[in-house]
Amino acid sequence: FVHDRQRGDGRRRLHRRLNLREIMNNANRIAVVGTGLVGRAWSIVFARAGHDTVMYDPVEGAAQSARETIAEGLPDLSDAGLLGGCTPEEVAARLTVASSLDEALEGALHVQESAPERVDVKRILFADLDRITAPETVLASSTSGIPASQLTEELSGRRRSWLPTPSIRPTSSRWWRSFPLPGPIRRPLHARES
């Protein structure tokens, strides 16, 4: 949506601001890039929220293995009441595996990056995500210790980048906060139920 912002010289100018809640509510397809523990957790979060979730990992066989591991664990999550009323079969049916980054990103309105916690790896990946995805696609990082500005400072689409953080673990929490990238993280924009 569009909002007014007061400029230093007293004039007002209009800004387009990404409304993450609106995007997530309308997202049919979400891509999770990186299928280690964190990527698997985000995949479950998105799939249990009703989103078609495409998993990709550059390590051959890793995404398929992650999908199988998730499917095996879904009954336990269901028994613990952590699938939001969905059955394990419903959640598993929303998870697919892509064989390439381009395939994973095709049509995705939200990309959750869950690559290894290394600046060089994440910076290269974010450059690829910025280049390949549509301008309205939200790029989110699962980083926990890298300053967000280091990942996006040279990207033309850096204003669509976010740092969502779950209130606890992604699979055991239905709430998370979002921080815009780049720049210093001062406060969350909003809480979101997944």
Side-chain angles (χ1 to χ4, degrees):
F1 62 87
V2 177
H3 70 284
D4 288 332
R5 178 176 287 171
Q6 187 76 30
R7 290 178 15 164
D9 61 5
R11 294 183 298 164
R12 293 181 107 31
R13 62 180 174 174
L14 295 177
H15 286 269
R16 180 177 173 273
R17 185 174 75 174
L18 289 173
N19 183 333
L20 187 58
R21 182 182 306 264
E22 180 180 315
I23 289 169
M24 291 304 296
N25 286 340
N26 294 322
N28 303 29
R29 182 175 166 113
I30 293 176
V32 175
V33 180
T35 58
L37 182 62
V38 173
R40 291 192 308 262
W42 279 116
S43 296
I44 294 168
V45 167
F46 295 130
R48 78 168 179 214
H51 302 289
D52 293 331
T53 304
V54 182
M55 302 167 64
Y56 171 73
D57 198 295
V59 176
E60 189 172 335
Q64 183 60 40
S65 176
R67 189 187 182 288
E68 292 166 5
T69 300
I70 290 170
E72 290 170 9
L74 289 174
D76 291 337
L77 291 175
S78 179
D79 291 345
L82 296 175
L83 292 185
C86 297
T87 66
E89 295 78 18
E90 289 170 325
V91 174
R94 294 181 189 121
L95 297 170
T96 58
V97 172
S99 59
S100 70
L101 182 60
D102 287 330
E103 179 187 343
L105 300 178
E106 185 177 331
L109 288 180
H110 179 93
V111 178
Q112 185 67 46
E113 169 276 314
S114 298
E117 195 73 354
R118 290 183 34 205
V119 173
D120 58 331
V121 170
K122 288 182 182 280
R123 190 177 284 168
I124 291 168
L125 179 54
F126 258 87
D128 288 343
L129 298 176
D130 188 50
R131 179 179 48 80
I132 297 169
T133 57
E136 66 274 8
T137 303
V138 172
L139 306 178
S141 178
S142 297
T143 186
S144 59
I146 299 172
S149 59
Q150 289 186 20
L151 305 179
T152 62
E153 63 192 350
E154 297 179 14
L155 302 183
S156 61
R158 67 184 166 272
R159 297 208 182 272
R160 62 188 171 129
S161 300
W162 296 83
L163 176 62
T165 59
S167 60
I168 314 173
R169 292 186 316 246
T171 53
S172 63
S173 175
R174 294 185 52 83
W175 290 94
W176 47 277
R177 302 172 299 159
S178 296
F179 297 94
L181 302 178
I185 296 174
R186 292 189 176 93
R187 61 179 175 80
L189 292 180
H190 66 276
R192 161 88 174 123
E193 184 174 2
S194 58

